[in-house]
Amino acid sequence: MTGTVQVFHGMEDVAAAAAQRFSALASQSCAERGAFHVALAGGSTPRRLYALLATPAYAEAIAWDKVHIYFGDERCVPPEHADSNYRMAHEALLSRVPVPATNIHRMAGELPDAAEAAADYARQLQALLPQQDGQPCFDLVLLGMGDDGHTASLFPGTTALEESSWTVAAVYVDKLSAWRITLSFTAINHARHVLLLVTGAGKAATLAQVFAPGVGERFPVQRVRPRGRLEWLLDEAAAAQLPDEARS
Ligand code: 6PG
């Protein structure tokens, strides 16, 4: 696996480290390019990160009017649904900081046709994101990893893994009996920066295999290889079975 690996005591420390990186990258992007384009993740650790970013220390330090919010994946539900990644981010962060509503770009999980929602979001990314080498480029993509090695909604064995022409894919996940909308690896890997947040003992065995030498590409998360920097932020429980050489 590529990228740097940092191990923290628990989920709270991972969220705190991620909040510091988010804030520093936002300052840097705004200073260098006048804006910060970030794709948010679903999941439990990101929720804690978002809550921290809404506290005064971060809420007052970040130039929210220059922050543009996108989503790495979404469940095919309306935005007010309990499973919606947008709803989670809105409740924990977006409703609590002065980010302009026009800077928030959510995936339309409520559309009956997930492929149409994916194509629509791909067009939005093309129009809204700065281009780098002819492709839309995020300043930061936040990701998690499922215990099956999925990231965003790029699940093992799904066609979305091979999506190379579109930045956004619709994917039917058999084991969930549900459609999802997700950034493709093409979009993720064009980012300037990726933070991968993984916490909890339930992820330890998969993470050890992801980092095992010579394992090849068995898990979707192993295809995260951004042109920019990849940082893994782990807690001790998730990192418990990591080979020593994986820790940077
Ligand atoms: C989602 C995600 C997904 C998530 C992982 C890890 O919408 O479910 O974006 O990829 O990041 O499943 O989730 P946890 O951090 O909750 O384990």
Side-chain angles (χ1 to χ4, degrees):
M1 260 320 293
T2 55
T4 58
V5 177
Q6 290 180 75
V7 182
F8 299 89
H9 178 64
M11 194 225 260
E12 203 57 33
D13 307 285
V14 171
Q20 283 173 18
R21 296 300 292 131
F22 184 108
S23 180
L25 289 165
S27 299
Q28 189 186 343
S29 291
C30 291
E32 291 175 4
R33 293 177 295 281
F36 180 54
H37 295 267
V38 54
L40 303 184
S44 47
T45 314
R47 174 187 270 277
R48 189 60 205 130
L49 160 65
Y50 304 153
L52 270 179
L53 289 172
T55 59
Y58 293 104
E60 289 164 14
I62 293 170
W64 291 102
D65 58 322
K66 297 190 174 73
V67 176
H68 296 259
I69 302 284
Y70 305 82
F71 288 81
D73 71 322
E74 187 55 279
R75 291 94 190 268
C76 288
V77 294
E80 61 278 5
H81 194 281
D83 292 342
S84 163
N85 282 344
Y86 166 78
R87 175 177 165 169
M88 185 275 272
H90 184 261
E91 286 180 355
L93 174 64
L94 305 175
S95 61
R96 297 167 192 270
V97 294
V99 59
T102 47
N103 287 12
I104 300 171
H105 312 289
R106 66 174 184 84
M107 292 172 163
E110 69 275 28
L111 291 184
D113 182 353
E116 189 189 327
D120 177 56
Y121 205 65
R123 282 191 290 271
Q124 288 190 49
L125 297 187
Q126 191 70 28
L128 296 166
L129 280 176
Q131 304 268 318
Q132 187 73 34
D133 301 327
Q135 273 192 57
C137 177
F138 289 103
D139 294 309
L140 172 64
V141 176
L142 293 170
L143 293 173
M145 185 196 83
D147 54 11
D148 59 357
H150 81 259
T151 191
S153 281
L154 294 155
F155 284 81
T158 54
T159 51
L161 300 184
E162 311 307 332
E163 186 57 71
S164 59
S165 52
W166 284 91
T167 50
V168 189
V171 54
Y172 186 76
V173 186
D174 278 327
K175 71 177 183 185
L176 303 174
S177 301
W179 284 90
R180 296 275 187 104
I181 307 159
T182 183
L183 292 184
S184 65
F185 284 115
T186 309
I188 291 170
N189 286 336
H190 209 62
R192 292 179 190 278
H193 214 108
V194 174
L195 289 183
L196 240 156
L197 314 180
V198 189
T199 58
K203 310 284 173 68
T206 305
L207 209 52
Q209 292 181 66
V210 164
F211 280 90
V215 71
E217 276 187 356
R218 282 183 52 195
F219 302 97
V221 73
Q222 292 171 306
R223 299 196 195 187
V224 179
R225 282 188 297 264
R227 56 191 279 278
R229 189 163 167 212
L230 167 61
E231 288 183 77
W232 292 80
L233 305 183
L234 315 175
D235 72 352
E236 279 166 10
Q241 300 175 37
L242 271 195
D244 283 344
E245 58 275 19
R247 296 166 187 251
S248 23

